[in-house]
Amino acid sequence: IGNWSYAGCSSALRALVNCIFIHRFPQSGDWRRMGDKKLRSDIVNLRVVAILAVIFGHSTTIYWYNWTDYRTTQEAPVFAHVGNLAMLVLGLWMLISGFCVGFTLRGKKRFKDFFIKRFSRLVIPYWLVALIWMIPIRLLIEYPGYEGQSFLYILWKNIFLGYDNGQLWYLPTLFFYSLIAWFINFCLK
């Protein structure tokens, strides 16, 4: 790949290419600018690895022999071991998120500003994906958890209260952890 130019690629793709093909692993002080923000390329690289691991894990769950949500005629027991890696990936995501929330807290003094920023980045996408993607698909495939429930009840119980928000559970969890982190940071000042 040597002289290959990837100037038009996103920073995440550049980080992935650097890491995998060019074997350039970032140093802890390696910073890149994106707009008016500084990005640490080691954190960007970890995000890329975590995103790819989540995509791979979620795309193989239907073939796990121990997955009971939906039955499939195809089984690939080797993919069941991918589920064992889920705890590592989950830990990596929590580590990255906590690290990034720490940086977010440095610039936000008022709770209102912090709340609005986190709400718009985490809760609004959660609601949009649930409304536009998850609920319609579950209704189309006659998801057993929605049987005999009205649309408003599904929204209230499963999405707003979080009883069955599927793979979207991470976004509201991160939002509430962010609020707790802000409160702890405020108390420690």
Side-chain angles (χ1 to χ4, degrees), residues 159-171:
I159 304 306
F160 187 75
L161 295 180
Y163 278 94
D164 186 9
N165 50 11
Q167 306 298 344
L168 298 177
W169 67 270
Y170 186 76
L171 294 173

Side-chain angles (χ1 to χ4, degrees), residues 41-110:
S41 42
D42 53 349
I43 300 302
V44 171
N45 290 343
L46 283 175
R47 279 180 158 172
V48 168
V49 169
I51 287 169
L52 292 175
V54 166
I55 290 170
F56 179 70
H58 284 229
S59 65
T60 61
T61 55
I62 197 164
Y63 302 110
W64 298 359
Y65 66 89
N66 57 352
W67 194 55
T68 59
D69 289 347
Y70 303 101
R71 287 324 265 148
T72 180
T73 58
Q74 303 296 319
E75 288 186 359
V78 72
F79 284 139
H81 299 293
V82 173
N84 297 331
L85 297 175
M87 285 299 145
L88 294 174
V89 174
L90 179 60
L92 179 61
W93 268 115
M94 288 294 182
L95 179 74
I96 293 169
S97 299
F99 185 81
C100 292
V101 166
F103 279 107
T104 304
L105 288 173
R106 286 196 295 172
K108 304 287 183 243
K109 303 288 188 236
R110 297 178 352 167

Side-chain angles (χ1 to χ4, degrees), residues 4-179:
W4 180 63
S5 173
Y6 54 130
C9 299
S10 70
S11 61
L13 183 59
R14 279 196 300 266
L16 182 64
V17 168
N18 278 337
C19 218
I20 293 174
F21 297 111
I22 304 174
H23 303 293
R24 182 191 171 278
F25 293 92
Q27 304 301 314
S28 62
D30 192 10
W31 293 86
R32 301 203 189 262
R33 284 215 165 264
M34 183 173 154
D36 60 342
K37 297 179 182 179
K38 286 184 180 178
L39 295 178
R40 288 188 49 171
S41 42
D42 53 349
I43 300 302
V44 171
N45 290 343
L46 283 175
R47 279 180 158 172
V48 168
V49 169
I51 287 169
L52 292 175
V54 166
I55 290 170
F56 179 70
H58 284 229
S59 65
T60 61
T61 55
I62 197 164
Y63 302 110
W64 298 359
Y65 66 89
N66 57 352
W67 194 55
T68 59
D69 289 347
Y70 303 101
R71 287 324 265 148
T72 180
T73 58
Q74 303 296 319
E75 288 186 359
V78 72
F79 284 139
H81 299 293
V82 173
N84 297 331
L85 297 175
M87 285 299 145
L88 294 174
V89 174
L90 179 60
L92 179 61
W93 268 115
M94 288 294 182
L95 179 74
I96 293 169
S97 299
F99 185 81
C100 292
V101 166
F103 279 107
T104 304
L105 288 173
R106 286 196 295 172
K108 304 287 183 243
K109 303 288 188 236
R110 297 178 352 167
F111 179 74
K112 179 183 173 185
D113 297 336
F114 181 76
F115 182 88
I116 290 170
K117 178 93 171 174
R118 298 307 283 179
F119 189 86
S120 64
R121 289 190 63 153
L122 297 170
V123 177
I124 291 175
Y126 165 72
W127 285 341
L128 288 174
V129 171
L131 284 170
I132 296 170
W133 182 256
M134 190 181 74
I135 293 174
I137 287 176
R138 284 183 169 185
L139 289 172
L140 283 172
I141 63 170
E142 298 177 356
Y143 180 66
Y146 292 175
E147 196 172 307
Q149 297 179 2
S150 72
F151 185 75
L152 290 176
Y153 185 75
I154 291 169
L155 281 178
W156 172 253
K157 181 182 176 194
N158 297 315
I159 304 306
F160 187 75
L161 295 180
Y163 278 94
D164 186 9
N165 50 11
Q167 306 298 344
L168 298 177
W169 67 270
Y170 186 76
L171 294 173
T173 302
L174 185 57
F175 175 70
F176 287 114
Y177 282 160
S178 299
L179 297 182

